Amino acid sequence: MIRQSAPIPLSAYDQSFGLAPSVIRVLSYRYVPDIERFNFALSRAFERFPQFATALARSQRGSSELLPLQSPQRLIVRSPVTWNPDSDAANHLPLFVTGLDLAPGDPVFTATLTPVNGGSVIGLSMSHAVGDGYSFYLFMSYFLEQLAAAPPSRLSPEEQLNKIVHSNASESQAAYGQQDFRVRRAFSVIAFGREFLDSLRGELATGQFVPTLNEALTAFLFHRYGPTLLGGATALRLRVPVNVRNVHPNITRTFIGNAFLESIVPVADVIDSPSAARDTARRIHEAVNSVRNPDYLSSTLHIRSDRIELSAPDSYIFNNQTDVVSTNYTRMPVHTIDLGNGPPVRIFCALTAPTGFVIVPTFDGLEAHMCHHA
């Protein structure tokens, strides 16, 4: 039982993310997970991290806060759809995700199961007001620990699923309730093998500088696809995770919140050429090192009660006409989330920005999950 009852205040930075589209992860499996054990683990994870068992609400003072739910969220089970687990779910998110665009009072975190041909799709939606990618990783890691320790179910996963679907026919229409989301944003997925990634780093290297894999791929994506996505991008906005945990007594190792800084990288020439991408990779490297500098990080860190706030001049103004957002999930092993009978066969991640891309790990390389204007 979740005992959190008082509203949870949000920093100004967290509040700004409450107005953004949800962070989305879609995982396709060749099996149906055990629903009872899933709900058991979900309830334990909510007890451990009560921020996820809340709804975004407006306080009497006009600021946003997280309001604890009357009852914990459970796995939302939808009626079966005709779908191949190996198919790309990028442009069919309303089929699989609840909470694509949050309204006041909606849960900030939802998990949805949709049965498909020979398997299932799990859609996870989280408001960025709750926290960053590492916050999600902490929540899911504890969830998976509890899933492994959950007591055995009396019915098989298929029997549980049939019982739920047959007892609640109204769920069959839930998958089509948010089609307007597709009008505002479009998505695509581009896969990169290890051989290509190694050659790309070599091509963008100089005698004085060898870009990291993330720096090289970010520069390549921006110059190859930035003009197509935006029709004239002039800057790259980096979302840089920063390690603030354990640097202050109020910030523990299991801190839940947004802990990253943003840095604008001006681009000299937005053309698809190795020389332009090489220059951008160097600028990205310098920007990341500057943001992660201990003195700079210390100057941006402010503690207010039990919340942290990272602030820097002009860091929250986003120009969706000129900025492309880059987010790196390569250290967040979403592709290994095993719900009982193996990891997902396909994943998709969407970010809280009108245009940009998320770099996601796979078992044989990386994928760029791109978000752009429809």
Side-chain angles (χ1 to χ4, degrees):
M1 189 68 170
I2 298 176
R3 302 186 184 280
Q4 179 83 31
S5 58
I8 303 172
L10 294 175
S11 70
Y13 196 31
D14 293 337
Q15 290 185 57
S16 69
F17 278 111
L19 303 175
S22 301
V23 178
I24 297 162
R25 280 88 169 174
V26 180
L27 305 96
S28 300
Y29 295 89
R30 290 203 179 96
Y31 61 92
V32 176
D34 189 306
I35 298 171
E36 292 181 4
R37 301 179 79 236
F38 192 107
N39 282 324
F40 172 88
L42 201 59
S43 66
R44 290 295 181 89
F46 285 145
E47 290 177 359
R48 179 67 180 82
F49 301 105
Q51 298 93 325
F52 284 82
T54 62
L56 194 64
R58 185 74 64 181
S59 71
Q60 293 181 347
R61 294 179 297 177
S63 60
S64 295
E65 60 186 12
L66 299 179
L67 194 63
L69 298 172
Q70 292 296 320
S71 58
Q73 273 287 100
R74 295 173 63 83
L75 179 65
I76 299 168
V77 180
R78 291 180 170 174
S79 292
V81 299
T82 302
W83 188 264
N84 186 327
D86 293 297
S87 300
D88 181 8
N91 282 307
H92 296 81
L93 295 181
L95 287 174
F96 308 120
V97 181
T98 304
L100 291 171
D101 293 301
L102 294 179
D106 289 345
V108 297
F109 178 86
T110 59
T112 304
L113 183 152
T114 305
V116 298
N117 303 31
S120 64
V121 177
I122 298 291
L124 303 174
S125 173
M126 182 192 79
S127 169
H128 226 319
V130 178
D132 53 16
Y134 192 73
S135 299
F136 172 83
Y137 174 74
L138 289 174
F139 179 86
M140 290 303 299
S141 295
Y142 189 78
F143 165 84
L144 292 174
E145 289 179 11
Q146 296 304 307
L147 184 66
S153 303
R154 184 174 56 86
L155 301 176
S156 69
E158 291 74 18
E159 290 172 327
Q160 296 174 48
L161 177 63
N162 290 335
K163 183 178 179 181
I164 293 174
V165 170
H166 292 152
S167 65
N168 193 359
S170 63
E171 287 287 345
S172 62
Q173 301 187 6
Y176 303 96
Q178 304 188 58
Q179 292 293 336
D180 61 329
F181 182 87
R182 296 177 64 186
V183 176
R184 291 194 291 277
R185 296 197 291 171
F187 302 92
S188 55
V189 177
I190 305 173
F192 301 96
R194 296 190 184 280
E195 184 176 346
F196 170 83
L197 295 170
D198 290 340
S199 66
L200 178 65
R201 286 189 67 194
E203 185 176 14
L204 300 188
T206 67
Q208 295 76 36
F209 167 71
V210 178
T212 66
L213 183 56
N214 183 45
E215 292 164 353
L217 186 56
T218 299
F220 168 80
L221 289 169
F222 182 79
H223 283 274
R224 176 61 55 89
Y225 299 103
T228 303
L229 297 182
L230 296 175
T234 59
L236 176 66
R237 177 176 288 259
L238 301 178
R239 286 182 175 163
V240 184
V242 290
N243 183 15
V244 299
R245 292 166 174 85
N246 289 329
V247 300
H248 186 279
N250 287 25
I251 309 175
T252 65
R253 184 180 60 83
T254 57
F255 164 78
I256 299 296
N258 286 300
F260 58 85
L261 290 170
E262 298 189 347
S263 179
I264 294 293
V265 178
V267 178
D269 200 0
V270 188
I271 58 174
D272 185 9
S273 76
S275 60
R278 189 176 299 114
D279 181 67
T280 298
R282 177 185 58 79
R283 292 173 183 240
I284 292 171
H285 179 78
E286 293 172 353
V288 171
N289 285 345
S290 175
V291 166
R292 287 180 171 164
N293 178 279
D295 292 336
Y296 178 80
L297 177 58
S298 177
S299 71
T300 67
L301 184 62
H302 306 281
I303 308 296
R304 288 171 173 76
S305 299
D306 60 345
R307 302 292 297 177
I308 69 164
E309 185 160 351
L310 293 166
S311 61
D314 302 323
S315 64
Y316 309 141
I317 301 174
F318 182 83
N319 187 333
N320 61 11
Q321 299 302 315
T322 61
D323 290 356
V324 174
V325 168
S326 170
T327 303
N328 177 17
Y329 283 177
T330 55
R331 296 186 180 182
M332 308 284 180
V334 182
H335 63 302
T336 63
I337 295 179
D338 188 336
L339 297 180
N341 199 23
V345 295
R346 197 174 182 93
I347 64 173
F348 175 72
C349 300
L351 74 164
T352 57
T355 52
F357 47 85
V358 183
I359 299 175
V360 180
T362 64
F363 287 106
D364 57 357
L366 297 173
E367 288 183 345
H369 297 187
M370 308 187 72
C371 172
H372 47 91
H373 296 302

